[in-house]
Amino acid sequence: MAELVLGDVSLHYELGGSGPPLLFISGTGGDLRARPNVLDGPLARRFEVLAFDQRGLGRSSVPPGPYTMAQYADDAGALLEAVGQPPAIVVGVSFGGMVAQELALRHPAMVRRLALLCSSSGGRGGTSFPLHEWVDLDDEERTERHLSVSDTRRTPQWRAAHAAEWNLLVEMAAAQRSVGAAEPGRVEGARWQLEARRGHDTWDRLGQIACPTLVAGGRFDGIAPPSNQEAIARAVPNAEL
C-alpha cells in the first residue's frame, strides 16, 4: 500500500497479483479497508491489479469540493501513469464504471481494453438510481433501501421468507459502512461523490470510445438496470454485452 500526491489530492493505492496491468475503479463509497476487496478476488490471480481509494474516500485525502466526474477520471489516469503500466485494462464497477467511461474518453491512450460493469451512461442512455436522494436518511433505513434496490428480487415477501439471509446482508452492509465512518471529512467526501454521480452523462460521447469494451450487469439490478447496459453496448462501437 502507498500514497501518491497528484495535484490537489493524495491517493491511497495498492498493487497486487501478477500478469497484464489492470486498473480497477471501485463503486460508490469504495474503501480498500473493507474486506474482502478486489485484491482478494480472482482478478489478482490473472492480472497485476492497481486499486485505489478515490478522492474523498477511504484513506485518500478529502480536498475541498464539489468534485466532477472529469476530476475522478483525471485522478485515475494520473495514478495509472505514475505507478501503473499504461495502456492497461480498465475495469470500472458501478460509479467506477462511470469514471472509467470518462477516463476512456479523456485519456484514450491509457486504456487498452475496458470493462463497464453495472454502470450507466446518464442522459438518454439511462441514469443510475438517484442514491443522492437518500443521503439524509439514517443509516439503517438507507441500508435497507440500498439492499432492496440493488437486487429487485428482495421484495418484502422475500425478506419475510428469508429473514436469516436478509439479516446477514444487513449486518455485512453495516460492517462495511462502519469502516472509517468517524474520520474527518468522510461525510463531505461521500456527499461530493454522490453529487458528481448525479451529474454524470457520457451518452453523446460514447461513440468516441475506440477500445474493445465489455459491458455487463445484473439482470435484477435496480441501481443500474439491464436497459442501461444495453444502451451502453449499442452506443460504444466495439462493445460486447
Side-chain angles (χ1 to χ4, degrees):
M1 63 184 68
E3 306 288 330
L4 185 68
V5 177
L6 299 168
D8 68 337
V9 67
S10 174
L11 294 180
H12 171 86
Y13 70 91
E14 299 181 19
L15 277 168
S18 61
L22 185 149
L23 173 67
F24 180 83
I25 309 178
S26 61
T28 302
D31 187 326
L32 286 171
R33 291 173 293 184
R35 307 305 287 260
N37 65 33
V38 64
L39 296 171
D40 301 311
L43 283 180
R45 294 198 289 270
R46 297 189 59 184
F47 302 94
E48 182 184 54
V49 178
L50 170 60
F52 67 106
D53 293 335
Q54 299 188 68
R55 61 171 53 221
L57 302 174
R59 283 171 282 185
S60 291
S61 65
V62 189
Y67 305 152
T68 67
M69 296 305 296
Q71 283 180 301
Y72 287 107
D74 290 349
D75 289 346
L79 179 66
L80 180 58
E81 186 171 36
V83 302
Q85 301 179 46
I89 298 167
V90 175
V91 177
V93 177
S94 192
F95 177 83
M98 301 178 189
V99 176
Q101 292 166 47
E102 285 286 354
L103 175 62
L105 289 163
R106 293 174 64 82
H107 307 283
M110 292 188 174
V111 184
R112 182 164 69 87
R113 290 178 177 270
L114 183 63
L116 303 175
L117 312 180
C118 307
S119 194
S120 301
S121 70
R124 290 182 294 111
T127 58
S128 285
F129 190 91
L131 298 178
H132 58 274
E133 294 181 356
W134 296 348
V135 71
D136 292 321
L137 298 178
D138 63 58
D139 287 344
E140 182 177 346
E141 184 174 2
R142 187 167 59 250
T143 294
E144 291 195 1
R145 290 194 185 191
H146 194 279
L147 288 173
S148 295
V149 76
S150 63
D151 187 333
T152 56
R153 294 171 295 184
R154 294 176 185 147
T155 63
Q157 294 78 15
W158 181 92
R159 289 168 55 177
H162 301 83
E165 184 176 345
W166 174 257
N167 290 337
L168 178 60
L169 288 168
V170 171
E171 291 172 8
M172 292 170 61
Q176 290 205 332
R177 189 179 63 243
S178 68
V179 176
E183 294 170 352
R186 294 306 159 192
V187 171
E188 291 81 4
R191 282 178 178 263
W192 286 326
Q193 185 188 41
L194 289 176
E195 282 303 310
R197 177 185 183 277
R198 179 182 186 178
H200 169 71
D201 185 355
T202 58
W203 175 251
D204 291 333
R205 295 176 286 147
L206 289 180
Q208 301 172 26
I209 296 178
C211 63
T213 301
L214 172 68
V215 183
R219 293 186 185 279
F220 302 99
D221 186 351
I223 295 177
S227 59
N228 291 15
Q229 318 311 312
E230 294 163 0
I232 293 173
R234 289 194 304 270
V236 175
N238 295 307
E240 176 184 353
L241 178 65

